[in-house]
Amino acid sequence: MRIGELAERAGTTTRTLRYYESRGLLSARRSDNGYRAYDEDDLRLVQQIRTLQDFGFELEETRPFVECLRAGHPAGDACPASLVVYRRKLDELDSLIEQLRAVRAQVGAELARAELEAGAALPGGPEPRCELGG
């Protein structure tokens, strides 16, 4: 198939495919007329890259999965190098989750404080005005 068909079937753009090619993740063969030619294996590679990127993987982190598919394995995560990347990504996600929990706790504490202060100001005087909106 030509690059336009591969892009359409993979749900991406020809520009993206050329970028993958420039990074060595996708290899195009050339047909007799000079057009890039791809096959179903190339579609699987692009789908693997896109799935991983949808999960938040950087493009370079997809390389072990692509290499695993190129080596003939039925899945991109059938190789030890891919499992290492999965583990690293899980560690990164766990760290981000902990950071978000800490920020959430801080925001919750600020909200509770602000609600207390706003409630204390209501009984004897006018409602506080926010000058930001208008």
Side-chain angles (χ1 to χ4, degrees), residues 62-80:
T62 70
R63 189 172 300 280
F65 298 85
V66 169
E67 290 172 356
C68 191
L69 285 171
R70 280 189 182 148
H73 295 276
D77 57 8
C79 298

Side-chain angles (χ1 to χ4, degrees), residues 83-97:
L83 300 179
V84 168
V85 174
Y86 271 155
R87 286 186 192 100
R88 191 177 328 130
K89 183 55 78 176
L90 279 176
D91 288 344
E92 179 185 317
L93 291 170
D94 287 341
S95 176
L96 289 171
I97 289 168

Side-chain angles (χ1 to χ4, degrees), residues 4 7-9 11 15-16 19 23 25 59 68 71 75 97 110 128:
E8 184 177 327
R9 289 183 62 193
R15 182 177 179 183
T16 297
Y19 181 67
R23 298 295 304 268
L25 293 168
L59 185 59
C68 191
I97 289 168
E110 288 299 313

